Amino acid sequence: MEKIHLYHTNDVHSHLEQWPRIQQFLKQKREQHIQANEEVFLFDIGDFIDRWHPLTDATMGRENIHLLNESQYTAITIGNNEGVNLPHVALNHLYDNAQFDVLLANFYHKNGEVPEWAQPYKIYQTKAGTKLGVIGLTANFSHLYDLLGWKCTDPFTELKKWIVHLKEQADIIILLSHLGLPDDERMADEFPELDVILGAHTHHMFEKGKLSNHSLIGAAGKFGYYVGHITLDVNQQKTIQNKKAVLYDFESLPIVENEIEQIQLFLESGKKMLQSKVTTLDKPLESSLFQATEFSQLLCKAVREWSGTDCAMINAGLLLGPLSGDVTEYDLLSICPHPINPSVVELTGEELAKILAESMNETLHHRQIKGLGFRGTVLGVFVYDGIQFHSGSIFVNNKKLDSTKTYTLALPDMFTFGHFFKEILLHKQKKYLLPEFLRDILKWKLQN
C-alpha cells in the first residue's frame, strides 16, 4: 500500500506572523515522510498574498513567492488577491522566480493564450508510478479581470473540458479550488472523477475534511490559523483504498526559535522599502469613526475628482489613523490598507435620496465588517462630496435634487457587491476603476 501525503494552505492573506511556525512544521513533515519513503506534495490554494502587509505591498507579492519557494511548495493556484489586486504587469511577473507550478485552468490573456507563468494542470508521478493529475481553478471575477487586461472563464466549463485529459492521464485527480465552498460542493456533484478538492476563498474549514459524493473536500480556514493534511492510501492497482483529512491548529505547532524576530523582520523590511516621501503636511489630518473630519472629506473629494462624478460617498472607517508632517508610502498603507477601488454608479435622484437616507442609519455606522476588502473594524459615519443637506432637502452641487434626473455617484467598490444598499445597487450597472486603490487616490490628492 502506497501512502501519499498532501499538505495544503489557503487564504493566508500575508499573515506572516504565522509563517515561521508553518514553515518549520512543513519542513519537518517533509523530512519525516521522505525518511519513511512516503510521497509528499504541498499546495497553496490562493490568496497567499495580501497588500495590507508592507512586505507584500512593497514588492507586489514577490517576497511572498520567495517564502513559498523556501518551503518547497509543489504547486499553487491563484486567488482574487493575486489576480484582482495586482496591476496587470505585477501579476504577469509575480511568478518569474517561482520554483513551483502555477496551475490555473480558467485564466488567459485577452487573446485567449495561457500566460507563460501558468498551466491548466500537471501530472505528478510518484516513485511507485501512481499518477496524480492536479488542476487549478480560480473565482470567476470576469468583469474585474477584463478591466485589468485578463480573461477569466467559467470554472465549470473549463473543468468539463480538461477532465477528459486528466482521466486519460491520471490515476488520481486533485482540484485546487479558489472558488468557495458552494462551488466546491457543486464540483463534487457534477464531477465524481474528482478524488480530492482542496478548497479556499470562503475561508471555510473542515477538521476532518468533508466527503461530498466521491470527493474528499479539505479546507484550512484563513490567515494561516490551520494547515491541512490529507493522506491517501493507494493500492497496487493505483486505486485509493482510504483517504482521510486532518487540520493542524497553528497554536499547536512547535514554537520557532527567534520567531518574534523573524515576524518583525518581515514588517521592518517592508516598511523600509516604503519610506519614500509622498508629501509634507503643514497641519495634521485627523481621523474619526463617528464624525466627518477634514481628512475624510479630503478622501471623499479625491474619490469624486478621480472618478469624474457628480457626487461621492465614503465611510469614515476607511481611515484607520491620522497623518502629520512628512507622509511616506508606508504611512498611507498604515492608515488605508484596504484593497478597495472606487466605483461609479448611475442613479436617479429618487434612488440617490434613498441611498443617502439609508447611509445615515446609526446601526449601519456601528456595523463590524470582515471581508469585501475592508481592513478596518466598523464602517463609521458616511461622508459626502458634492452633496449638501439644507432644511430637510438634498442638494447636488448646490442644486436641489431632481428625483427624475440621473446622477453619477462614486463610492468604494465594497458597497456594490450586494451586501449594502442592495434594493437599489444590486441590479445597477457599475463601473469599477482599477487598478488604483483608495490610498493611491489619496496619494494623488495629497501630491496635487
Side-chain angles (χ1 to χ4, degrees), residues 72-177:
Q72 296 181 278
Y73 271 69
T74 307
I76 64 105
T77 196
I78 74 166
N80 44 289
N81 269 265
E82 286 88 6
V84 175
N85 292 334
L86 288 174
H88 184 101
V89 172
L91 176 58
N92 209 28
H93 291 284
L94 178 62
Y95 300 105
D96 284 355
N97 298 314
Q99 297 166 15
F100 49 81
D101 298 309
V102 180
L103 305 179
L104 193 53
N106 65 323
F107 197 80
Y108 302 88
H109 288 295
K110 277 200 170 182
N111 62 7
E113 293 181 0
V114 176
E116 291 182 3
W117 43 269
Q119 55 188 314
Y121 70 91
K122 185 165 180 177
I123 307 297
Y124 299 95
Q125 185 165 322
T126 69
K127 291 188 290 291
T130 303
K131 294 178 180 178
L132 278 65
V134 185
I135 185 168
L137 294 167
T138 196
N140 183 20
F141 294 111
S142 57
H143 178 60
L144 298 179
Y145 279 120
D146 182 69
L147 294 173
L148 288 165
W150 300 106
K151 180 182 178 183
C152 192
T153 55
D154 177 66
F156 291 88
T157 302
E158 292 290 352
L159 186 57
K160 186 176 182 180
K161 177 176 71 176
W162 294 110
I163 200 80
V164 177
H165 302 279
L166 288 165
K167 286 166 64 177
E168 290 174 350
Q169 300 174 52
D171 304 303
I172 296 168
I173 300 177
I174 299 167
L175 170 62
L176 311 184
S177 166

Side-chain angles (χ1 to χ4, degrees), residues 256-268:
V256 177
E257 184 180 0
N258 300 325
E259 79 174 36
I260 301 300
E261 289 83 353
Q262 288 187 46
I263 294 164
Q264 194 61 31
L265 183 61
F266 292 144
L267 288 168
E268 292 301 322

